Amino acid sequence: MERMSLARSLAVAAMLMPSMNAKAAANNDPDWPCIQRKVPQLSLGQIWNGPELPPAAKDLSKDPAVSALVEEVAARRMPIAEAQKKIRDFAASLPAEQLAPKMAMLVQGMFDYMDTERSHVISGISRYAHKQLEMAAALRKEASDVDALREKPDADPDEVERRTEQLKFATRIFNERVQSLTYVCDVPTIIEQRLYQLSKAVSETLAAKKN
């Protein structure tokens, strides 16, 4: 009974974590598992306080150099200081008359690219959370079935032991996935903060050029 109680306690604790996080987040989406508030998409005004970007800034496909820079600096594996330096170096390489339009295109490109990336991460978190709910339901059922098996007078001790160990293993996997989810929940915020820092580098570069 002690082994079974341990497995069930682990299962119950793990199953409670997503719902607790969802309540803590006070979101309108009851299926959102993160403590962080769910914001499916960003607005340009959240990360850019410079001049209004012209419509031409959306024509990223027409400028391979800016497009390549967007993908390069957006990659989270690149330290933010290095990414900001690349932006400054790119700006320094531009003729004066191209600086403003190219920087506007860069900001718009970074926003479109990283907001899309962020939205994909949020969708993935939701899918992950649904999978967790399915696993939680399966754990509850298996715990109940093992309890029922254990109560049978003619229960095979080896079978009870085998299924108890399987339940403990499945619960451990579930808890590891819960832990992974807490890390993944930080990614949308990390992307948002990186986007803001990169956009700020553009703004500071433009301001420095004016002085």
Side-chain angles (χ1 to χ4, degrees):
M1 286 296 288
E2 182 179 354
R3 288 181 178 178
M4 189 63 232
S5 297
L6 172 61
R8 294 191 67 187
S9 296
L10 288 170
V12 170
M15 284 182 268
L16 285 175
M17 289 184 68
S19 61
M20 289 171 63
N21 285 348
K23 291 177 181 178
N27 282 301
N28 292 328
D29 185 350
D31 294 329
W32 181 244
C34 302
I35 294 175
Q36 298 86 343
R37 181 170 171 267
K38 183 179 181 181
V39 181
Q41 289 184 306
L42 301 175
S43 67
L44 186 61
Q46 289 176 262
I47 59 94
W48 177 245
N49 57 6
E52 184 177 353
L53 303 182
K58 291 184 175 291
D59 296 335
L60 189 65
S61 61
K62 296 181 179 180
D63 195 312
V66 176
S67 182
L69 182 59
V70 166
E71 293 190 28
E72 194 173 12
V73 300
R76 295 192 300 280
R77 63 180 176 274
M78 177 181 287
I80 189 64
E82 183 180 344
Q84 290 170 326
K85 183 178 184 301
K86 284 186 175 293
I87 289 174
R88 291 191 295 269
D89 290 347
F90 178 73
S93 72
L94 296 172
E97 70 276 7
Q98 292 186 18
L99 180 63
K102 296 285 188 181
M103 291 292 99
M105 188 177 289
L106 177 61
V107 171
Q108 184 70 60
M110 291 189 303
F111 175 79
D112 292 342
Y113 186 95
M114 297 176 73
D115 188 43
T116 298
E117 178 189 19
R118 183 178 172 281
S119 294
H120 287 163
V121 170
I122 288 173
S123 296
I125 289 173
S126 295
R127 291 192 299 272
Y128 194 100
H130 280 292
K131 181 65 176 177
Q132 285 294 91
L133 291 175
E134 293 173 1
M135 291 180 68
L139 282 173
R140 284 196 298 269
K141 182 179 185 306
E142 180 61 12
S144 177
D145 289 347
V146 173
D147 266 352
L149 177 63
R150 186 181 292 276
E151 293 301 321
K152 290 182 178 180
D154 58 346
D156 181 352
D158 291 339
E159 175 70 6
V160 172
E161 177 70 13
R162 182 184 66 82
R163 291 184 63 177
T164 297
E165 291 303 313
Q166 286 179 341
L167 179 59
K168 290 168 65 176
F169 178 76
T171 301
R172 185 163 63 249
I173 295 299
F174 182 92
N175 278 321
E176 289 173 357
R177 284 175 57 89
V178 169
Q179 188 62 41
S180 296
L181 184 59
T182 63
Y183 296 131
V184 175
C185 282
D186 287 332
V187 175
T189 300
I190 291 171
I191 294 174
E192 180 180 349
Q193 291 172 343
R194 184 179 184 87
L195 177 56
Y196 173 77
Q197 290 173 311
L198 294 176
S199 299
K200 185 179 179 182
V202 173
S203 179
E204 291 172 347
T205 299
L206 288 173
K209 291 289 184 178
K210 290 179 180 180
N211 297 332

